[in-house]
Amino acid sequence: MIQPVDPPPVRDCEGCTLCCKVMSVEVLDKPAGVWCKHCKIGHGCGIHQTRPDACRDFYCGYLTYPTELDESWRPVVSRLIVRLNPAARWIGIHVDPQRPDAWRQEPYYSKLKEWARRAPKSKLVVLVFIGRRTWAIYPDRDVDLGVAEKGDTAIATLVYGPGGPRYEVTRHAAGAAVPTEAQRFFSMK
């Protein structure tokens, strides 16, 4: 399973630039789901030497977890970027908006469900991002949390049910009261 600390990359991007499309970069005022104006699609970053830390410090899961994510997870094939955010305690799957169903295809969907089953032990929730829309992935269902507005917060609460413990994630509008027993996972941008 993916660990809460990113190891160094062991693979190369090999021309993949999907992260430059599916992820937001606040310092560049670049929203999720659109190509970065600095991206040379299929080649790399046009400002590689001066790129912001948010880009410099990012390695997708395909590059860093070869034993967990085989060749089928290569972003140019899967249309998915796997991102571990250990500080916020989530595994995010950023989906190419031109292939919004890619995360529901096999072998990806089974792996997301596996991670969701292990979420209480790993203390990492599984989230799917398609542009600004977010889905929470649970062992028994997927929940559309809707379109995130700037300042919205996702809150995870550990609940116990017939299938055992699991996290339930809810979205709260900016400024809304947050239950004290809940764990704040991240602010949506």
Side-chain angles (χ1 to χ4, degrees):
M1 172 154 195
I2 292 180
Q3 301 300 311
V5 176
D6 269 340
V10 295
R11 292 175 170 151
D12 190 275
C13 298
E14 297 179 12
C16 177
T17 53
L18 188 62
C19 62
C20 301
K21 178 181 183 184
V22 299
M23 300 178 68
S24 65
V25 182
E26 191 169 353
V27 69
L28 295 176
D29 199 30
K30 184 228 161 297
V34 298
W35 285 107
C36 176
K37 66 183 178 183
H38 303 292
C39 180
K40 307 290 185 205
I41 299 170
H43 298 286
C45 180
I47 59 167
H48 189 266
Q49 295 302 319
T50 60
R51 70 193 186 280
D53 288 343
C55 300
R56 187 178 304 278
D57 297 339
F58 174 74
Y59 296 107
C60 82
Y62 173 76
L63 298 179
T64 56
Y65 298 101
T67 58
E68 185 76 18
L69 304 174
D70 65 22
E71 286 295 314
S72 67
W73 286 83
R74 180 179 293 277
V76 297
V77 173
S78 66
R79 308 314 294 168
L80 308 171
I81 296 287
V82 177
R83 178 182 177 206
L84 177 67
N85 188 328
R89 298 183 13 199
W90 52 262
I91 299 171
I93 313 306
H94 298 265
V95 181
D96 184 345
Q98 290 183 305
R99 290 272 313 282
D101 64 333
W103 65 281
R104 293 185 185 264
Q105 306 305 309
E106 290 300 341
Y108 320 116
Y109 192 65
S110 294
K111 182 64 81 173
L112 300 184
K113 292 298 189 174
E114 176 187 326
W115 291 338
R117 283 190 298 278
R118 293 192 272 177
K121 185 176 180 181
S122 66
K123 297 184 178 167
L124 294 167
V125 298
V126 181
L127 301 170
V128 170
F129 303 97
I130 306 170
R132 291 182 19 231
R133 181 168 296 279
T134 304
W135 291 79
I137 309 305
Y138 304 121
D140 60 339
R141 68 193 190 291
D142 309 318
V143 176
D144 183 353
L145 298 176
V147 175
E149 300 298 333
K150 189 169 180 86
D152 286 0
T153 304
I155 304 297
T157 306
L158 187 61
V159 297
Y160 296 87
R166 72 168 182 262
Y167 284 107
E168 289 285 333
V169 181
T170 54
R171 181 173 60 93
H172 297 266
V178 175
T180 57
E181 71 278 359
Q183 168 66 46
R184 174 179 281 197
F185 268 78
F186 64 94
S187 293
M188 297 179 173
K189 305 214 188 295

